[in-house]
Amino acid sequence: MQACDTLMYSEAHEAADVVARQFAANDEIVTVLAHSLRAHPPRFIITCARGSSDHAAAYAKYVFETQLGIVTASASPSVTSVYAAEQRWQDALFIAISQSGKSPDLVRNAQAAKIAGARVIALVNVEDSPLAAIADTVIPLHAGPERSVAATKSYIAALAAVLHLCARWRGDTELAEALHVLPDALRSGWDADWSSLSEGLEDAHNLFVVGRGFGLGIALEAALKFKETCGLHAEAFSAAEVKHGPMALVGPNFPVLCFAQDDDTLEGTLALADMFRQRGAHVWVAAPGQKGKGSLPVMAGLPALCTPLLIIQSFYRATAELSLRRGFNPDVPPHLNKVTETV
């Protein structure tokens, strides 16, 4: 089997079409919602998700806090679903993110959010799901059926939905223009050569994935995908936090994968990558415009908020290849199911 024969590969390859379809289908919904949110701004934003969807929520936190100036926090689903603790969410915006919309704990949290006085939005791929039925507004991901256990196109679709909502809510014309070209950028970036990563990690046992700001969510997502599809122990860290203890593990030939976007975090992340190299670590850097040993190509020219989508798509392709190199099937990770029904 080759990587191109896997569902993970083919579904990640569909991401550009998914994003284009989503933007076109959702624009009226998102525009109306954004107008309402501008007229009645929430006091704060709560996200609720698990797994890859929670990594999309981590991205949303940085997008909403930097672009809208609204505090955004992640709800711990068990606080409501297990402990049944009453929450004070009056006039909050509650955003639930899910591919299936079936996880019982997310459904219970959305119900509790409505009771607590929050406005509930669901970013969900299955439009007739229990979660969607509860929401005040549904933003469909329009990813289509996703058969690989490893989420790819639905994750990118969730990031795109966050971008779309932010652009309309803020009235950001530059970001809105970027959304028009993002699908083509994803198509162009699909053929980026990340083979040095899939080749270099074939015999690895552990690694760090580092990101900051908009890139932290995809670092979390990459670490998860290494575990579930490649049997490779990976931990994600913020570039601002990794030096506070985890750095002690980094020595000669220790693998480190750094994600960066062209914003105020870029210089610090590149400096950190150099520090790792000085310790003899094997370092890869995915950032727009970077060249040289260990550099993984990423298209430049789009706003920094868009870069994580380009990076994670290239990562998914490389990971499908790495999984096969390590003797795994990326579509059927051991002991995992597509829908995890946490209560």
Side-chain angles (χ1 to χ4, degrees), residues 226-241:
F226 278 134
K227 294 178 185 119
E228 69 179 352
T229 67
C230 302
L232 175 55
H233 179 235
E235 296 298 329
F237 294 99
S238 163
E241 299 291 338

PDB file of all heavy atoms in Angstrom, residues 226-241:
ATOM      1  N   PHE A 226       0.511  11.830  15.468  1.00  0.00           N
ATOM      2  CA  PHE A 226       1.689  10.970  15.578  1.00  0.00           C
ATOM      3  C   PHE A 226       1.377   9.750  16.442  1.00  0.00           C
ATOM      4  O   PHE A 226       1.767   8.629  16.123  1.00  0.00           O
ATOM      5  CB  PHE A 226       2.857  11.740  16.201  1.00  0.00           C
ATOM      6  CG  PHE A 226       3.636  12.598  15.243  1.00  0.00           C
ATOM      7  CD1 PHE A 226       3.981  13.903  15.577  1.00  0.00           C
ATOM      8  CD2 PHE A 226       4.060  12.106  14.017  1.00  0.00           C
ATOM      9  CE1 PHE A 226       4.725  14.700  14.716  1.00  0.00           C
ATOM     10  CE2 PHE A 226       4.807  12.896  13.146  1.00  0.00           C
ATOM     11  CZ  PHE A 226       5.137  14.192  13.496  1.00  0.00           C
ATOM     12  N   LYS A 227       0.679   9.975  17.549  1.00  0.00           N
ATOM     13  CA  LYS A 227       0.356   8.862  18.449  1.00  0.00           C
ATOM     14  C   LYS A 227      -0.598   7.880  17.793  1.00  0.00           C
ATOM     15  O   LYS A 227      -0.352   6.667  17.785  1.00  0.00           O
ATOM     16  CB  LYS A 227      -0.274   9.402  19.735  1.00  0.00           C
ATOM     17  CG  LYS A 227       0.638  10.241  20.616  1.00  0.00           C
ATOM     18  CD  LYS A 227      -0.142  10.752  21.825  1.00  0.00           C
ATOM     19  CE  LYS A 227       0.716  11.695  22.659  1.00  0.00           C
ATOM     20  NZ  LYS A 227       0.148  13.036  22.760  1.00  0.00           N
ATOM     21  N   GLU A 228      -1.719   8.400  17.262  1.00  0.00           N
ATOM     22  CA  GLU A 228      -2.777   7.493  16.832  1.00  0.00           C
ATOM     23  C   GLU A 228      -2.500   6.827  15.498  1.00  0.00           C
ATOM     24  O   GLU A 228      -2.982   5.706  15.262  1.00  0.00           O
ATOM     25  CB  GLU A 228      -4.125   8.210  16.806  1.00  0.00           C
ATOM     26  CG  GLU A 228      -4.306   9.264  15.743  1.00  0.00           C
ATOM     27  CD  GLU A 228      -5.705   9.896  15.784  1.00  0.00           C
ATOM     28  OE1 GLU A 228      -6.563   9.404  16.535  1.00  0.00           O
ATOM     29  OE2 GLU A 228      -5.910  10.884  15.058  1.00  0.00           O
ATOM     30  N   THR A 229      -1.758   7.453  14.602  1.00  0.00           N
ATOM     31  CA  THR A 229      -1.553   6.851  13.279  1.00  0.00           C
ATOM     32  C   THR A 229      -0.170   6.239  13.096  1.00  0.00           C
ATOM     33  O   THR A 229       0.017   5.415  12.201  1.00  0.00           O
ATOM     34  CB  THR A 229      -1.773   7.884  12.155  1.00  0.00           C
ATOM     35  OG1 THR A 229      -0.761   8.879  12.208  1.00  0.00           O
ATOM     36  CG2 THR A 229      -3.147   8.526  12.272  1.00  0.00           C
ATOM     37  N   CYS A 230       0.796   6.662  13.907  1.00  0.00           N
ATOM     38  CA  CYS A 230       2.181   6.221  13.699  1.00  0.00           C
ATOM     39  C   CYS A 230       2.766   5.467  14.890  1.00  0.00           C
ATOM     40  O   CYS A 230       3.923   5.017  14.827  1.00  0.00           O
ATOM     41  CB  CYS A 230       3.083   7.426  13.401  1.00  0.00           C
ATOM     42  SG  CYS A 230       2.580   8.387  11.962  1.00  0.00           S
ATOM     43  N   GLY A 231       2.014   5.328  15.973  1.00  0.00           N
ATOM     44  CA  GLY A 231       2.551   4.673  17.164  1.00  0.00           C
ATOM     45  C   GLY A 231       3.767   5.385  17.706  1.00  0.00           C
ATOM     46  O   GLY A 231       4.661   4.758  18.276  1.00  0.00           O
ATOM     47  N   LEU A 232       3.801   6.701  17.540  1.00  0.00           N
ATOM     48  CA  LEU A 232       4.966   7.512  17.908  1.00  0.00           C
ATOM     49  C   LEU A 232       4.591   8.453  19.037  1.00  0.00           C
ATOM     50  O   LEU A 232       3.653   9.253  18.903  1.00  0.00           O
ATOM     51  CB  LEU A 232       5.442   8.293  16.684  1.00  0.00           C
ATOM     52  CG  LEU A 232       6.585   9.298  16.853  1.00  0.00           C
ATOM     53  CD1 LEU A 232       7.808   8.652  17.478  1.00  0.00           C
ATOM     54  CD2 LEU A 232       6.936   9.905  15.495  1.00  0.00           C
ATOM     55  N   HIS A 233       5.297   8.343  20.151  1.00  0.00           N
ATOM     56  CA  HIS A 233       4.999   9.196  21.298  1.00  0.00           C
ATOM     57  C   HIS A 233       5.461  10.619  21.014  1.00  0.00           C
ATOM     58  O   HIS A 233       6.647  10.884  20.821  1.00  0.00           O
ATOM     59  CB  HIS A 233       5.693   8.684  22.552  1.00  0.00           C
ATOM     60  CG  HIS A 233       5.445   9.542  23.749  1.00  0.00           C
ATOM     61  ND1 HIS A 233       6.460  10.077  24.498  1.00  0.00           N
ATOM     62  CD2 HIS A 233       4.287   9.983  24.303  1.00  0.00           C
ATOM     63  CE1 HIS A 233       5.939  10.804  25.478  1.00  0.00           C
ATOM     64  NE2 HIS A 233       4.630  10.764  25.375  1.00  0.00           N
ATOM     65  N   ALA A 234       4.506  11.537  20.979  1.00  0.00           N
ATOM     66  CA  ALA A 234       4.808  12.942  20.700  1.00  0.00           C
ATOM     67  C   ALA A 234       4.085  13.805  21.712  1.00  0.00           C
ATOM     68  O   ALA A 234       2.948  13.516  22.096  1.00  0.00           O
ATOM     69  CB  ALA A 234       4.365  13.314  19.286  1.00  0.00           C
ATOM     70  N   GLU A 235       4.731  14.875  22.137  1.00  0.00           N
ATOM     71  CA  GLU A 235       4.128  15.825  23.069  1.00  0.00           C
ATOM     72  C   GLU A 235       4.193  17.220  22.461  1.00  0.00           C
ATOM     73  O   GLU A 235       5.218  17.601  21.881  1.00  0.00           O
ATOM     74  CB  GLU A 235       4.839  15.806  24.419  1.00  0.00           C
ATOM     75  CG  GLU A 235       4.726  14.481  25.162  1.00  0.00           C
ATOM     76  CD  GLU A 235       3.288  14.120  25.503  1.00  0.00           C
ATOM     77  OE1 GLU A 235       2.475  15.048  25.717  1.00  0.00           O
ATOM     78  OE2 GLU A 235       2.983  12.922  25.553  1.00  0.00           O
ATOM     79  N   ALA A 236       3.117  17.960  22.604  1.00  0.00           N
ATOM     80  CA  ALA A 236       3.052  19.321  22.075  1.00  0.00           C
ATOM     81  C   ALA A 236       3.284  20.331  23.174  1.00  0.00           C
ATOM     82  O   ALA A 236       2.798  20.163  24.307  1.00  0.00           O
ATOM     83  CB  ALA A 236       1.688  19.568  21.429  1.00  0.00           C
ATOM     84  N   PHE A 237       4.022  21.389  22.849  1.00  0.00           N
ATOM     85  CA  PHE A 237       4.315  22.450  23.799  1.00  0.00           C
ATOM     86  C   PHE A 237       4.242  23.800  23.105  1.00  0.00           C
ATOM     87  O   PHE A 237       4.518  23.924  21.918  1.00  0.00           O
ATOM     88  CB  PHE A 237       5.725  22.291  24.391  1.00  0.00           C
ATOM     89  CG  PHE A 237       5.897  21.067  25.237  1.00  0.00           C
ATOM     90  CD1 PHE A 237       6.487  19.927  24.712  1.00  0.00           C
ATOM     91  CD2 PHE A 237       5.476  21.048  26.561  1.00  0.00           C
ATOM     92  CE1 PHE A 237       6.658  18.794  25.477  1.00  0.00           C
ATOM     93  CE2 PHE A 237       5.636  19.914  27.339  1.00  0.00           C
ATOM     94  CZ  PHE A 237       6.231  18.788  26.804  1.00  0.00           C
ATOM     95  N   SER A 238       3.890  24.798  23.887  1.00  0.00           N
ATOM     96  CA  SER A 238       4.039  26.169  23.425  1.00  0.00           C
ATOM     97  C   SER A 238       5.520  26.512  23.379  1.00  0.00           C
ATOM     98  O   SER A 238       6.298  26.112  24.259  1.00  0.00           O
ATOM     99  CB  SER A 238       3.311  27.118  24.377  1.00  0.00           C
ATOM    100  OG  SER A 238       3.749  28.446  24.181  1.00  0.00           O
ATOM    101  N   ALA A 239       5.917  27.274  22.380  1.00  0.00           N
ATOM    102  CA  ALA A 239       7.312  27.720  22.295  1.00  0.00           C
ATOM    103  C   ALA A 239       7.691  28.563  23.503  1.00  0.00           C
ATOM    104  O   ALA A 239       8.875  28.669  23.841  1.00  0.00           O
ATOM    105  CB  ALA A 239       7.525  28.515  21.004  1.00  0.00           C
ATOM    106  N   ALA A 240       6.700  29.138  24.174  1.00  0.00           N
ATOM    107  CA  ALA A 240       6.968  29.948  25.354  1.00  0.00           C
ATOM    108  C   ALA A 240       7.136  29.107  26.606  1.00  0.00           C
ATOM    109  O   ALA A 240       7.678  29.580  27.611  1.00  0.00           O
ATOM    110  CB  ALA A 240       5.830  30.952  25.569  1.00  0.00           C
ATOM    111  N   GLU A 241       6.678  27.844  26.572  1.00  0.00           N
ATOM    112  CA  GLU A 241       6.678  27.005  27.774  1.00  0.00           C
ATOM    113  C   GLU A 241       7.695  25.869  27.733  1.00  0.00           C
ATOM    114  O   GLU A 241       8.059  25.339  28.778  1.00  0.00           O
ATOM    115  CB  GLU A 241       5.283  26.406  27.985  1.00  0.00           C
ATOM    116  CG  GLU A 241       4.184  27.434  28.196  1.00  0.00           C
ATOM    117  CD  GLU A 241       4.324  28.164  29.524  1.00  0.00           C
ATOM    118  OE1 GLU A 241       4.978  27.633  30.433  1.00  0.00           O
ATOM    119  OE2 GLU A 241       3.792  29.286  29.628  1.00  0.00           O
TER     120      GLU A 241
END
